[in-house]
Amino acid sequence: MIKVKKRKILLLPGDGIGQEVVAEVKKIIQWFNSKKSLDFDIDEDLVGGAAYDKHKNPITDEVFYKALESEAVILGAVGGPKYDNLEFSKRPERALLKLRKELKLFANLRPAICFKQLVDASSLKPEIVSGLDIMIVRELTGGIYFGEPRGIKLIENGERRGTNTHSYTTNEIIRVARVAFELAKKRGKKVTSCEKSNVMEAGVLWREEVQSLKDKEFKDIELNHMLADNCAMQLLRNPKQFDVIVTDNLFGDILSDEASMLTGSLGLLPSASLGAKDKNGNIRSMYEPVHGSAPDIAGKGIANPIASILSFAMALRYSLNLDKEADILEKAVQEVLDEGLRTKDIISKGMKEVSTSQMGDAIISKLK
Ligand code: NAD
């Protein structure tokens, strides 16, 4: 068998069900290694609460440098009630923020796909969501979550004032818009850019820069501008009108959560965070399910591993340039759902309930 180049993948399972779902991803990577002669070099380490328990630090420098050197980081989830009272700098979420910031992961990709087998799990009518396939691209390292000045201050009259600053530069807008246009090229060739240019100057700049990039480099892509509040409404009214949505950090946070609920279950939703190219031309990236550590079901073997497995499929596609393998994996997930296998979160009448590891095994059996 001809072996191809070793690809470094770092698994950071984290806390709660993160450990259970990433274990299934690991099985799949090992399957690709043994059966498809892909040579993934898997490393695994602690992050979040698990790292705090051992090192009193949610991410050690050693793990951080491993992440820098990996072609793809696959994260489970971090957090849990045990860590809720820690000081801010020690909290599990700090590890995530550090990874996103230091790896400069400026584009967060969240697909909202409604699997035909799970149409009934959505709170919307089947005809509204059936066949839904949207990609939301959220700017992740700028905007109001990072802008200065920020803080809470005492003011003259004895009241307090809380301040956050919403600001974007041309470059921050263009680089995330480019990701959206490139994705649209491979999909439905349509981008909707969302902001609040009716009331915010940063929104006016956003609209102008996205339009100018389209005019210069992406003439064949259809571009629509939409106010973010209208987009929130349109996502519920007629979500299938969208192909790729690109928006800032704050609106993206809200709109991507809204879109995720169109699909029914948190346990199915993957995400990718992409950054700038490193010196070797590789894009820095981190892949994780949208869900958290789900302390209410952790350790019971009932978590749905599909969101993590589909996150790995995104890694195959966007970081490892293995589109064919990504297709095979996504198809295997569809086939398992077609056969009626369901974890507890998506079970319905007439379907067969399986555990986390049985779901992973069933998907592997379809890869064959
Ligand atoms: P959550 O996503 O962990 O859980 C919300 C609900 O969805 C729970 O009822 C849970 O059982 C269910 N659920 C989530 N994922 C599932 C899966 N794969 N299969 C089946 N059911 C699933 O959100 P939460 O309860 O608000 O947060 C729990 C902890 O996770 C908190 O500490 C929070 O800070 C953390 N969190 C971490 C991340 C992350 O690591 N990226 C994201 C969100 C929340």
Side-chain angles (χ1 to χ4, degrees):
M1 245 188 252
I2 303 163
K3 290 263 177 190
V4 295
K5 163 179 164 237
K6 270 195 184 254
R7 327 288 304 259
K8 274 194 182 180
I9 298 182
L10 177 63
L11 300 180
L12 297 175
D15 306 319
I17 64 165
Q19 301 181 0
E20 298 163 49
V21 294
V22 172
E24 300 311 306
V25 173
K26 189 171 175 181
K27 281 173 15 189
I28 287 171
I29 300 175
Q30 284 164 340
W31 184 90
F32 274 110
N33 270 354
S34 67
K35 300 286 192 254
K36 284 275 172 192
S37 67
L38 294 175
D39 210 355
F40 292 125
D41 180 3
I42 314 172
D43 196 353
E44 187 169 339
D45 221 312
L46 300 176
V47 74
Y52 176 81
D53 287 342
K54 184 154 183 212
H55 304 291
K56 296 283 166 278
N57 181 354
I59 179 161
T60 60
D61 288 347
E62 190 192 344
V63 173
F64 175 68
Y65 287 113
K66 277 186 191 178
L68 271 182
E69 282 168 12
S70 302
E71 276 188 62
V73 177
I74 313 283
L75 190 122
V78 297
K82 184 176 163 193
Y83 310 104
D84 281 352
N85 296 322
L86 287 177
E87 66 171 270
F88 200 54
S89 66
K90 305 276 186 219
R91 293 191 52 167
E93 296 78 13
R94 293 307 297 171
L96 272 189
L97 294 180
K98 176 165 174 160
L99 283 167
R100 286 177 185 161
K101 187 157 184 269
E102 304 291 333
L103 298 181
K104 300 189 174 56
L105 304 176
F106 62 81
N108 182 227
L109 277 49
R110 278 175 60 166
I113 297 170
C114 188
F115 293 104
K116 63 179 188 306
Q117 305 88 340
L118 298 170
V119 152
D120 293 333
S122 170
S123 50
L124 269 76
K125 292 185 197 130
E127 62 270 26
I128 306 266
V129 288
S130 174
L132 181 78
D133 181 359
I134 306 176
M135 176 70 84
I136 300 202
V137 181
R138 166 189 170 194
E139 200 290 326
L140 203 59
T141 53
I144 199 156
Y145 294 165
F146 294 95
E148 297 284 348
R150 63 185 297 155
I152 301 177
K153 273 193 187 152
L154 196 61
I155 53 175
E156 303 78 51
N157 64 1
E159 283 187 71
R160 293 191 301 157
R161 173 181 288 135
T163 304
N164 290 92
T165 303
H166 181 74
S167 95
Y168 273 105
T169 62
T170 305
N171 176 46
E172 286 172 325
I173 300 167
I174 286 178
R175 66 185 182 179
V176 72
R178 181 172 280 117
V179 170
F181 284 123
E182 294 287 357
L183 283 167
K185 258 191 196 170
K186 297 188 189 165
R187 299 173 41 102
K189 299 198 166 26
K190 186 171 161 189
V191 170
T192 305
S193 168
C194 295
E195 28 59 18
K196 287 284 288 173
S197 55
N198 54 341
V199 283
M200 294 165 75
E201 283 76 4
V204 174
L205 183 75
W206 183 281
R207 184 176 283 225
E208 289 174 359
E209 295 297 345
V210 174
Q211 183 65 50
S212 123
L213 181 66
K214 179 229 144 53
D215 295 342
K216 277 190 220 136
E217 294 181 29
F218 298 95
K219 293 194 173 61
D220 53 338
I221 305 287
E222 180 187 337
L223 170 66
N224 298 303
H225 300 280
M226 192 178 271
L227 298 178
D229 47 346
N230 185 25
C231 182
M233 189 268 280
Q234 294 294 339
L235 274 171
L236 297 182
R237 197 183 73 85
N238 176 18
K240 282 190 264 182
Q241 70 183 283
F242 297 109
D243 176 25
V244 176
I245 295 176
V246 61
T247 188
D248 70 26
N249 205 343
L250 172 65
F251 298 138
D253 195 357
I254 298 165
L255 294 173
S256 61
D257 263 24
E258 184 188 349
S260 70
M261 282 324 292
L262 301 173
T263 67
S265 169
L266 265 179
L268 298 169
L269 297 166
S271 82
S273 299
L274 308 180
K277 287 190 178 156
D278 66 16
K279 58 181 187 313
N280 303 318
N282 297 320
I283 290 179
R284 294 206 193 286
S285 57
M286 183 160 80
Y287 298 84
E288 53 184 313
V290 167
H291 63 73
S293 58
D296 54 334
I297 59 165
K300 296 185 181 164
I302 57 173
N304 190 342
I306 291 180
S308 278
I309 290 170
L310 292 177
S311 300
F312 177 60
M314 291 183 86
L316 289 169
R317 202 179 293 288
Y318 299 120
S319 286
L320 303 162
N321 280 323
L322 294 167
D323 282 45
K324 202 175 93 209
E325 284 72 10
D327 289 344
I328 293 172
L329 184 51
E330 285 166 359
K331 191 158 161 275
V333 170
Q334 292 280 357
E335 284 177 20
V336 167
L337 294 174
D338 277 342
E339 276 187 1
L341 301 191
R342 302 281 189 273
T343 41
K344 199 177 174 66
D345 54 314
I346 49 172
I347 192 74
S348 60
K349 210 163 154 236
M351 302 292 139
K352 181 170 185 271
E353 190 171 323
V354 292
S355 68
T356 309
S357 67
Q358 285 169 331
M359 181 57 95
D361 291 343
I363 291 169
I364 289 174
S365 76
K366 296 297 172 199
L367 291 173
K368 290 169 192 159

